[in-house]
């Protein structure tokens, strides 16, 4: 299935926006949906495509996507900004394959550290990142024993911040 992986094009933005509420199960209600949409503007599908990926399923359905990039300020750092996997293909290895592809591509460009974040309540994401070898970056407080960065993306937007060191 991963053989249908490709770099996104601008038209993929509308495809991703169309599945956001379904794939996140309406998490956070209308305000959660609006927040997710603001995190992924069209510019990512115009200017960050060579280190981002889309998985097309048979019949033209969207299966997964990863939006990531190499830091302009520190070319030794990569950042995975947003990832989504269709409920139809979760637990099949697709998410891990997307991350490994990103690691290989940015590693070939000299990246030695990859950063990512997730919401404090997203324990599935925490477990996923940990399985892939990410560790939590110390934060400014603790919640349930986890290092939390308060107001990371604005007031009330606390996050868990991850780092993975590449060989």
């Amino acid at each position: 299935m991963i053989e249908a992986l490709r770099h996104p094009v601008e038209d993929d933005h509308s495809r991703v926006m169309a599945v956001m509420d379904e794939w996140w199960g309406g998490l956070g209600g209308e305000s959660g949906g609006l927040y997710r949409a603001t995190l992924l503007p069209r510019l990512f599908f115009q200017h960050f495509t060579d280190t981002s990926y889309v998985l097309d399923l048979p019949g033209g359905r969207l299966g997964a996507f990863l939006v990531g990039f190499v830091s302009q300020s520190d070319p030794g750092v990569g950042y995975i900004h947003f990832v989504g996997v269709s409920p139809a293909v979760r637990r099949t290895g697709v998410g891990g394959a997307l991350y490994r592809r990103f690691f290989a591509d940015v590693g070939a460009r000299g990246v030695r550290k990859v950063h990512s974040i997730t919401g404090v309540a997203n324990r599935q994401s925490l477990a996923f990142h940990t399985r892939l070898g990410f560790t939590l970056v110390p934060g400014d407080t603790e919640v349930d024993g986890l290092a939390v960065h308060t107001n990371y993306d604005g007031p009330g937007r606390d996050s868990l911040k991850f780092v993975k060191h590449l060989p």
Side-chain angles (χ1 to χ4, degrees):
M1 181 181 326
I2 204 69
E3 59 271 0
L5 193 63
R6 62 177 174 78
H7 293 293
V9 295
E10 187 173 349
D11 287 345
D12 288 315
H13 180 259
S14 60
R15 295 177 70 211
V16 168
M17 291 296 110
V19 299
M20 291 285 260
D21 285 339
E22 175 192 343
W23 287 13
W24 273 262
L27 181 68
E30 186 177 338
S31 67
L34 289 172
Y35 177 65
R36 282 185 294 280
T38 63
L39 288 176
L40 204 55
R42 183 175 298 275
L43 69 92
F44 283 103
F45 295 84
Q46 296 168 321
H47 302 287
F48 295 89
T49 59
D50 65 335
T51 53
S52 297
Y53 313 93
V54 168
L55 175 68
D56 292 312
L57 296 177
R61 293 178 303 127
L62 182 63
F65 67 91
L66 180 149
V67 174
F69 53 88
V70 176
S71 170
Q72 285 187 303
S73 300
D74 185 349
V77 174
Y79 188 81
I80 296 176
H81 176 67
F82 211 112
V83 180
V85 177
S86 167
V89 295
R90 288 186 187 150
R91 301 216 174 283
T92 65
V94 166
L98 285 169
Y99 273 66
R100 286 187 292 279
R101 173 70 177 271
F102 180 81
F103 298 154
D105 286 355
V106 300
R109 296 172 184 218
V111 167
R112 294 297 166 249
K113 284 194 298 190
V114 174
H115 291 260
S116 190
I117 66 167
T118 196
V120 176
N122 195 340
R123 298 306 164 97
Q124 287 179 323
S125 180
L126 170 63
F128 174 78
H129 282 87
T130 302
R131 281 193 307 273
L132 287 175
F134 283 88
T135 58
L136 284 172
V137 174
D140 59 349
T141 192
E142 266 192 29
V143 174
D144 296 331
L146 299 173
V148 173
H149 297 258
T150 54
N151 301 318
Y152 186 81
D153 273 330
R157 299 291 181 188
D158 301 347
S159 293
L160 303 176
K161 184 177 178 183
F162 300 101
V163 65
K164 177 178 174 68
H165 296 272
L166 302 180

